[in-house]
Amino acid sequence: MQRCTGITIAALTGLALAGAFEIPDISARAAGKTAPTIGQATAKPAAPAAAAAAQTGVPGFQVETLWPKPLPNHWILGSVTGVAVDAQDHVWIIHRGADSLTGRTENGLGTNPPTAENCCLPAPPVLEFDTAGTLLSHWGGPGQGYDWPKTPGGIAVDAKGNVWIAAAGWPEPPGARAGGAGRAGAGGRGGAAGAAAGEPPAPAPPPPPPSHDAHILKFSRTGQFLAQYGKPGTTDGSASKTSFNRPANLDIDAAANEIYVADGYGNRRVVVLDANTGAYKRHWGAYGAAPEDAAPPAYEPAAPAAKQFRAVSCVAVTKDGNVYVCDRASNRIQVFKKDGTFAQEMVVAKETRSNGSVWDIAFSSDAGQRYMFVADGQSHTIRILQRNTLAEVGVLGTGGRIPGRFNAPGSVATDSRGNLYTGETFEGKRVQKFTPKR
């Protein structure tokens, strides 16, 4: 085991407070490899495409260890489901809050009765930060006139500053609703009491069907409700022009004033709406074909590529008019023209199973958006791809809980200065900022 010599704990602490502390990747060194630095993107020289990209400058990053600044009011984050950057380079995040926190150990002030005196409470669902990590605004949750998601998905901010949220929650288990099994039992007893002597009791009414998210929401940047498209529990399938089924994420095409919806946890498609009116404009499935509702077989690395999407977890529009789609459970990215014409695809980390390798996508901030950052929550890393070839040329981070490492990174975004922001879902429950290495 290599020991740290010639440096004191105080010095380490000072470096961390300065936001410049980089920690060696011990796991890589133990495997006999050159150890990448935590928070530094490293090229993969073994592949020809990677070597070529390295010569032209694959972007490198270092983690800003104390970003964001501590939240007030004993607030903590739940599982982060979306990260976005607006035109002012403000960073917006959305998280699941209390339902993703452990009442016994994390949500001590949020339980009834509280289980702790001082800490902690779930932060409001939507948080806005500046580039320094200062909290600027916060809002979200149930309100008048709209259906707050059972589980939020992604978040996007349009050119006017409006905030869009995907509602991605799954159906509730039987009996979970107030009108579920408990109420059905009560109805059965009422039927028995009202029946004539000797007659069998009236059958209990069936419980209401499970409810699931099937909509997207639009708010002002201050949290004022503006519009809802779709309705929870109302789904007409992947050919519908009026409904969604657990939309996972969304992106804005400011030039065309359109919103792209990754309608992919229940349906298997991309949907495009008018950003002003919410009017349906077009949709498509994998390879630009009509989507089907039937699920493809489970992913197998050696099997032929599925003709339908398995789980559309993201959609992202580039400056040059291409549309990149994450098919998470198929480990692939498909690229389209704005009209849905298929252009190309790439399988990323082919041997990945379970939750898949392609969770979210962001692009580098240069004019040509030469690089693409892919959040791979199953392998706990950010993969760096050359956008024109879709070849992987580097990685950022690995699994872990210290700054610069990841636990299920499911969201990624970039700002105009080249900074990279990530959000960790499941048990990760944090956001991180990475600054370019100059």
Side-chain angles (χ1 to χ4, degrees), residues 37-42 59-63 373-374 380-384 392 394-399 404-406 409 412 420 422 434:
T37 301
I38 297 301
Q40 178 178 350
T42 57
F61 297 90
Q62 62 186 13
V63 65
F373 306 103
V374 179
H380 310 291
T381 193
I382 303 296
R383 300 181 184 274
I384 304 175
E392 185 174 327
V395 294
L396 172 64
T398 186
R405 295 195 177 187
F406 300 108
V412 62
L420 182 76
T422 60
F434 297 84

Side-chain angles (χ1 to χ4, degrees), residues 14-54:
L15 286 171
L17 291 173
F21 187 28
E22 297 181 357
I23 306 167
D25 187 341
I26 298 172
S27 62
R29 179 173 293 144
K33 302 176 183 177
T34 301
T37 301
I38 297 301
Q40 178 178 350
T42 57
K44 293 187 169 183

Side-chain angles (χ1 to χ4, degrees), residues 233-289:
T234 302
T235 300
D236 301 320
S238 290
S240 176
K241 297 182 180 181
T242 59
S243 68
F244 305 101
N245 191 348
R246 298 184 58 213
N249 216 327
L250 24 73
D251 196 23
I252 311 295
D253 178 9
N257 196 37
E258 293 177 334
I259 181 163
Y260 285 70
V261 182
D263 188 21
Y265 285 161
N267 289 331
R268 307 179 190 282
R269 62 178 183 166
V270 172
V271 184
V272 185
L273 308 178
D274 182 281
N276 284 339
T277 65
Y280 167 89
K281 302 188 77 171
R282 58 192 179 277
H283 74 264
W284 66 84
Y287 300 104

